[in-house]
Amino acid sequence: MRVTRYLCTMFCLGMSSASLAADTDFKSPLFIDGIHCEGHADSKLGEALRKNYSNDEIAAVGVKAQLQLLCEALFKEFGVEKFQWVTPGDLERLDFTLKHSKRFQSVDLSIKKSEMQNHVHLVGQFQQFSKKTHYTVNGSSSVERGNADDGNRYTQRLNGHIDFERQGEVNLAPLVFGFDFRNSTAKHPLSVETLKEGGEETTLTLEEQIAQARPSGSYGHVEMRLNLLRLRSYTPFFTIGLDHTRISGDKTFSRTNSYEAGVVFHGDPLLSMNSRTQLSILNANYVATGTETIVPKGQGSGRGARNITFAGLSGAGSSSWMDADFRLYRSITQDLHFFGNVDVLFKLGDYLGLDHGLGVSQEVVRGAVLPEHRLGLPDRNVAKGFWRVGRDFTAFGAKQSLTVDAGFGIYSATNYTENSYSVGNFYGQLAYVTHADLFDVSLAFAYGSQRLY
Amino acid sequence: MRSYFGIALLILSSRAFGVDLCPSYATLHEREIIPRIRSGIPFKLLGVAIGNDGTVQRRALRVEYDLWKEKVTVEVIGQGRETVGLSKSQDHICRALSFPGSKTLVKHQYRLFLNPVLENGLERLRSTKGTDSAGFLKIDWGRLVKDIETEKILLEREFTP
C-alpha cells in the first residue's frame, strides 16, 4: 500500500525518474541535501517522546532525531526525499499538494542554498490546526403508510459523534464518542396475509408467525473510538461499543458488547477523488432473552449468548461528479452472516439555480445478528433509487443546505419462518443540514406511500 | 435543410478594456510577492478583470526564481517568458498582469489570485487565448472566477471611471 501510494503520488506529481532528467520546461534541477521542518509535530509529542529517556541531555538529542525522522517521513509521503533531484516544477507541485492536503492549517515551503551549486535544503514551516471538539448530530423521522389493520410505521433516529480535540476536517480526532438511537413502532408488525405472500404454510401459530417478524422496538448504541497517531497515510483505530435492543410485543431484549480494530487508509489528495478506505475486524458478543435468541426451529427458546467475528471493508469517496460510500462485513465463523450497504449519489449539476443528483442505495443483511439489524426483517435487501434536488446557502455564518429527495424503494426479505416477502413504495424526504465550525447538524423528514415492513 | 446544430452559441468578439495594475501593485509586491520569490518555490498568479459590460479578461503568470543567478523568470502562460533581475521584477510582473485594451475606460472589478486551482479551467484558459468561448461551449467566467479555489486573493478592487 505504501509503495502503491508512493507511486501514485509520483504519477500525480508528474514525476518519474525519466522526467526528472528530461523535463525540458525547467532546465535547472536541484539536489536536496536536507529536509527540515518547523511546527510539523504536536508539542505534546515532544513531551511524550522525552519520557522515553532518563537523561535530559540524551533526551534532547533523541527527541530531535525522532522529530527529524517524522519530518522526513512527512515529505516522503508527498513524494520528496533527501538526496533526490527535483525540478522547480516538482517543488511547485509539492507546495500545491501539501497545501491542498488540508492536513495543516498552513504550510510555507522554501529552499535555502547549500554549499554546492544547485544543492538546496528544503524547509517546511507548518502550522497545525487548533484543537477543537466537534459535534455531529443527525436526527430523522419517517412515517410509512399502512392499512387500517396494521397501522402506519413510525421511525425516529438520532445518531452522531463527538470528535474530541479534532485538528481540521481531514485529520481524525484522537478520541471519538459515537451514538445511535432508533425507535420503530407500528400497530402490528406485519399482517398475516403479508407474511404468507409467496410463502408456504408453516406449523407455527398465527401469533408465533407475527412474533417471529417482530421488527418494532428500540435500539441504542454507544461507542468509544481511539484513532492512533497518524504518521503515514493510514491511521490505526480501536473501538469499543455497547448495544441494547428491545423488541416490542413480547418484551425481549438483546445486549451486545463489540470490539473493532482496524486501519483507515487515506486517499491521495492529488487524485480527483478524495477517498478513505477502512479494513477492520469486528467481534460482537451478545446476550439475548426470550424468542430474541436465534435457535434452530424446534429447539425452543431461552437465554442465549453468542460470539461472532466479522471481517469488515468500508470506504468513502467524493469527487466533483459523485459521492459514494460502502460497507461490507462478513462473518469469519462457520455460520454465514453478513451485512453491508452501498450509497452513491451522482451529481448532475446545476439547473435553474438548483443542484440535481441521482442516488442509488442498497442495503443487505443476511442472518441479522447485530442489534442494529434487529429492527427489520432478517435476510433482507433494501434497494432505493431517488432524484435529489437541493441548494446550498450561507446563513448565520454557517454553510447550510436544503435537499428534497423523491424516489422508489423495494424491501425484499425472508423471516425466520422462511416466508419470502417483497414490498415497494414511493417516498419523499426533506432534509436540512448545517455545517458550522464546531458542529454539523442534520434533520430529515420522510414519508413513504406504503410500509416496507 | 440547412442544419444549425453545429452553431451552438455565438462566439463573442473580444471587447478588451484597458486595466493598468501598476499604480496599486507596488505595496503588494513588497509585502507578498518578494517573500514568495525569495522562498525559491515557483508560484502562479492569475489576474481577472470583469467589466461592467460583461466582458472578462484574464492573465495567468508563473513566477520562478534562480537562487544563484538571482534572476526572476516570469512566464505569461500561453504566450512566453522573460527573465529579469529581482530589482526589475515589480515593473515586469505588474505590466504582465495589466491589460492593454481599448481606450475607453470601463467600470470593472479586478481580482488577483495566488496559486489558483483551475483544473480544467486552466486548460481552457491556456487554449482560448483571450476569447470567451472554447469550441461550442461558452465559459461562464463570472461564475468561474467566483468559484476559483485559490491559496489567497491578493488584490480585489473595483474601478469606476
Side-chain angles (χ1 to χ4, degrees), chain A residues 163-333:
Chain A
D163 295 47
F164 294 97
E165 295 193 338
R166 192 178 76 171
Q167 290 180 283
E169 287 185 20
V170 170
N171 298 315
L172 298 177
L175 184 64
V176 180
F177 170 75
F179 60 93
D180 186 5
F181 303 112
R182 291 179 228 180
N183 187 53
S184 183
T185 55
K187 194 170 159 187
H188 290 297
L190 281 171
S191 66
V192 172
E193 289 71 25
T194 312
L195 272 174
K196 283 187 177 176
E197 253 180 41
E200 295 177 359
E201 291 290 330
T202 69
T203 56
L204 290 178
T205 65
L206 196 62
E207 291 72 19
E208 283 172 330
Q209 288 177 45
I210 294 174
Q212 285 289 341
R214 296 181 298 125
S216 291
S218 59
Y219 158 75
H221 167 85
V222 292
E223 68 177 34
M224 293 296 289
R225 174 169 168 146
L226 291 168
N227 291 309
L228 301 181
L229 182 66
R230 180 175 171 179
L231 294 175
R232 298 285 191 271
S233 55
Y234 59 88
T235 304
F237 73 93
F238 181 72
T239 303
I240 299 175
L242 187 64
D243 304 320
H244 186 100
T245 308
R246 180 175 288 275
I247 301 296
S248 60
D250 54 2
K251 298 186 177 54
T252 59
F253 71 90
S254 65
R255 223 177 22 239
T256 302
N257 301 320
S258 62
Y259 307 91
E260 186 173 10
V263 179
V264 177
F265 297 96
H266 307 278
D268 192 309
L270 263 192
L271 293 177
S272 59
M273 172 171 272
N274 293 316
S275 64
R276 187 178 285 180
T277 306
Q278 175 177 298
L279 289 174
S280 64
I281 297 289
L282 167 68
N283 179 267
N285 183 57
Y286 72 91
V287 175
T289 65
T291 49
E292 181 64 17
T293 310
I294 298 174
V295 291
K297 196 173 165 182
Q299 290 188 15
S301 59
R303 191 177 180 85
R306 284 197 64 185
N307 186 288
I308 292 186
T309 302
F310 294 87
L313 172 67
S314 58
S318 173
S319 72
S320 59
W321 58 277
M322 184 179 75
D323 289 332
D325 69 79
F326 73 95
R327 190 173 68 140
L328 179 64
Y329 283 77
R330 189 197 188 281
S331 62
I332 55 177
T333 50

Side-chain angles (χ1 to χ4, degrees), chain B residues 144-159:
Chain B
L144 182 66
V145 165
K146 204 188 298 185
D147 291 347
I148 283 177
E149 189 184 338
T150 180
E151 185 181 328
K152 204 171 179 179
I153 294 178
L154 296 174
L155 184 68
E156 199 164 0
R157 72 167 200 198
E158 190 170 295
F159 175 79

Side-chain angles (χ1 to χ4, degrees), chain B residues 85-143:
Chain B
L86 186 60
S87 57
K88 293 183 182 173
S89 60
Q90 176 183 326
D91 270 344
H92 193 75
I93 291 174
C94 79
R95 277 190 288 109
L97 287 170
S98 299
F99 300 106
S102 73
K103 295 54 182 182
T104 309
L105 294 174
V106 173
K107 181 179 177 182
H108 64 267
Q109 289 185 346
Y110 184 91
R111 285 190 187 90
L112 182 61
F113 299 95
L114 171 67
N115 286 330
V117 180
L118 292 178
E119 296 176 343
N120 304 343
L122 189 57
E123 287 304 310
R124 293 203 300 268
L125 187 85
R126 193 175 292 132
S127 64
T128 54
K129 290 190 171 59
T131 63
D132 282 342
S133 64
F136 296 114
L137 298 176
K138 180 171 170 66
I139 300 163
D140 185 351
W141 286 109
R143 172 81 187 262

Side-chain angles (χ1 to χ4, degrees), chain A residues 330-351:
Chain A
R330 189 197 188 281
S331 62
I332 55 177
T333 50
Q334 278 185 331
D335 303 330
L336 175 63
H337 301 281
F338 64 87
F339 61 91
N341 66 275
V342 174
D343 297 279
V344 181
L345 177 70
F346 297 100
K347 302 174 191 175
L348 302 177
D350 184 296
Y351 182 66

Side-chain angles (χ1 to χ4, degrees), chain A residues 133-151:
Chain A
T133 296
H134 188 268
Y135 302 84
T136 303
V137 179
N138 307 308
S140 66
S141 180
S142 69
V143 56
E144 292 171 347
R145 252 182 54 183
N147 58 32
D149 292 330
D150 297 334

